[in-house]
Amino acid sequence: MGHQHNVPFFDYTKAFLEHEQQILDLTRDVIRRGAFILQRDLQEFESALAEYVGVKHVIGVGNATDAIYMLARAIDLGPGDEVVFCTHTMVATAAGIHFTGATPVPCETGWDHEIDPASVERLITPKTKAIIPTQLNGRCADMDALRAICESRGLMLLEDSAQALGSKYKGLCAGTFGRGGVISFYPAKTLGCLGDGGCVLTNDDEVGRRVRLYRDFGRNDDQEVECWCMNSRLDNLQAAILKFRFQYYDQWIQRRRQIASLYQQRLGDLGKLVLPPGPDDDPDRFDIFQNYEIEANRRDDLQVFLRRHGVGTLIQWGGTPVHLMRKLGFNQSLPFTEELFTRLLMLPMNHFLSDDDVHYVCDIISQFYTK
Ligand SMILES: *Cc1c(COP(=O)(O)O)cnc(C)c1O
């Protein structure tokens, strides 16, 4: 192992340089047109995304956290209502619910790092109005089980699909299973913009109409204000960049899936790690690998060892599941999730990685466990 190789967890500069000239050209074009707020590029991007995901309405908003809040508000969640969510997620999932006045209720994560339907069932009370699974790491949760619970218990289904643009379960895309879902365009997401951005996905005309009001001060098409609202729009310039990048999306996802296969080939036999399901392991799912999240024994030591050898890794959510953010008022204990969180680690996963990069990361991991 003579050579020192650097594999950062994510490389924003590379992400920009990939299409530097095109992005500068389209930025100049948008600025020269003075097309900043609720303009053509936004509409075109919303339509392209709606067609891709197979959903009736896409509404571009300021970020995915606002999107969750506006979606929850559009289905009339409010004080006295409970919404079950899984705590291996960003605090944003719970925050979006919280700001409607409803109570986010933490449940367990399952073996595949997605929401555990059995835990959801145990937490349902007469106050429960909705379930909001997070489609984590670019993989869908067990949507059949969740839909069955919603049907039998009369609950609404929302999705935090911030990490799962184009991820499928039995042919349907994340964000389209229930009343609505959200996508994030945060720069490190699979489809990132140059700042904050997000959208709401819904097949429900009334939810779509209301989210359009909520993102724009409550103004309808006649500029009449229908209700109290904030301002949370996806910038037209960001939408123009997203629309441009979107044409490469399938290519990027294909590359992510190749990288996942390579990790699986190289790390599967080590016997020390729990890997995410491989891209071809489950005929019911199409995973987009937003993240490659493994479970590792001696996780903290492994992370230090990788860093010393130039490999960037990340522990999701700073290592704290949402229910352990005690200052937010949670007091639950979720033993499976808490044990899982001692072992989670994300390896580099993005379409800029070369096969050599991936082999290098795997070499260092093998070294760590055999030394
Ligand atoms: C990124 C992310 C969010 C928040 O998205 P923003 O656009 O940054 O608000 C919410 N939930 C999950 C699961 C995420 O990964």
Side-chain angles (χ1 to χ4, degrees):
M1 290 310 315
H3 69 301
Q4 170 86 10
H5 195 117
N6 261 309
V7 186
F9 184 75
F10 194 82
D11 190 336
Y12 286 113
T13 305
K14 253 189 190 167
F16 176 60
L17 293 179
E18 185 180 21
H19 295 116
E20 180 177 17
Q21 199 51 53
Q22 291 98 320
I23 289 187
L24 292 177
D25 288 347
L26 76 84
T27 300
R28 186 181 304 107
D29 171 62
V30 168
I31 297 171
R32 283 189 177 170
R33 280 190 277 128
F36 300 119
I37 303 292
L38 298 179
Q39 296 298 307
R40 182 184 83 206
D41 306 271
L42 175 60
Q43 284 159 17
E44 288 170 1
F45 176 59
E46 288 173 340
S47 304
L49 209 58
E51 190 182 341
Y52 183 83
V53 172
V55 76
K56 235 168 135 181
H57 307 281
V58 171
I59 303 117
V61 300
N63 56 74
T65 312
D66 284 359
I68 294 167
Y69 162 71
M70 290 188 272
L71 184 57
R73 186 174 166 191
I75 61 166
D76 289 323
L77 293 176
D81 297 336
E82 292 179 354
V83 180
V84 182
F85 77 106
C86 159
T87 66
H88 186 359
T89 190
M90 195 172 186
V91 67
T93 319
I97 302 300
H98 168 84
F99 282 107
T100 66
T103 305
V105 175
C107 81
E108 288 273 26
T109 303
W111 65 270
D112 67 347
H113 305 184
E114 306 298 324
I115 192 168
D116 175 4
S119 173
V120 172
E121 281 218 274
R122 288 195 297 274
L123 289 160
I124 293 172
T125 74
K127 290 181 173 177
T128 309
K129 289 283 161 20
I131 302 173
I132 182 164
T134 295
Q135 313 289 29
L136 195 76
N137 295 333
R139 177 179 173 83
C140 286
D142 183 345
M143 299 314 292
D144 278 352
L146 295 173
R147 278 177 140 179
I149 294 170
C150 287
E151 270 166 40
S152 71
R153 309 294 286 259
L155 306 177
M156 293 182 282
L157 180 65
L158 299 179
E159 291 164 72
D160 181 345
S161 36
Q163 297 192 352
L165 173 59
S167 171
K168 291 191 190 123
Y169 176 88
K170 297 191 175 172
L172 286 183
C173 277
T176 70
F177 289 90
R179 298 293 296 279
V182 308
I183 301 289
S184 173
F185 306 120
Y186 182 85
K189 295 287 174 19
T190 49
L191 182 64
C193 61
L194 303 183
D196 278 312
C199 73
V200 168
L201 313 174
T202 184
N203 281 311
D204 183 317
D205 294 340
E206 177 59 13
V207 168
R209 191 187 72 83
R210 286 170 69 169
V211 172
R212 268 179 211 287
L213 293 177
Y214 297 160
R215 76 170 172 183
D216 188 39
F217 310 105
R219 292 186 298 200
N220 63 24
D221 291 342
D222 302 324
Q223 296 300 300
E224 181 197 344
V225 173
E226 293 193 21
C227 54
W228 285 108
C229 292
M230 304 295 287
N231 169 13
S232 182
R233 300 170 299 214
L234 178 60
D235 288 341
N236 192 65
L237 177 56
Q238 298 294 359
I241 291 165
L242 288 163
K243 187 181 63 162
F244 169 77
R245 285 184 165 173
F246 192 47
Q247 64 188 306
Y248 302 99
Y249 193 67
D250 282 335
Q251 228 170 286
W252 293 345
I253 296 305
Q254 202 188 335
R255 178 61 189 151
R256 282 174 182 264
R257 288 168 56 82
Q258 282 172 357
I259 292 166
S261 285
L262 197 50
Y263 273 135
Q264 193 179 32
Q265 284 166 34
R266 286 291 318 273
L267 301 176
D269 297 335
L270 219 56
K272 304 286 184 185
L273 303 172
V274 178
L275 304 178
D280 302 312
D281 286 1
D282 179 353
D284 286 339
R285 282 186 174 79
F286 181 83
D287 295 356
I288 64 155
F289 291 93
Q290 163 69 59
N291 302 311
Y292 196 79
E293 188 179 57
I294 64 170
E295 295 170 36
N297 296 330
R298 298 163 52 212
R299 185 262 321 262
D300 293 339
D301 291 344
L302 173 62
Q303 186 177 37
V304 170
F305 190 79
L306 283 163
R307 189 185 304 136
R308 280 217 318 267
H309 288 83
V311 177
T313 60
L314 205 66
I315 298 174
Q316 213 161 189
W317 328 124
T320 307
V322 177
H323 72 284
L324 293 184
M325 297 173 183
R326 299 301 195 194
K327 289 182 178 163
L328 301 183
F330 296 112
N331 57 12
Q332 290 84 350
S333 98
L334 297 171
F336 185 87
T337 304
E338 287 161 33
E339 203 279 324
L340 184 67
F341 265 69
T342 64
R343 284 180 290 122
L344 296 176
L345 186 69
M346 299 196 297
L347 303 182
M349 170 53 86
N350 54 72
H351 69 270
F352 308 112
L353 298 176
S354 66
D355 284 7
D356 278 354
D357 291 335
V358 178
H359 282 298
Y360 178 74
V361 173
C362 295
D363 288 343
I364 301 299
I365 293 174
S366 306
Q367 245 187 70
F368 175 77
Y369 284 113
T370 53
K371 80 177 177 310

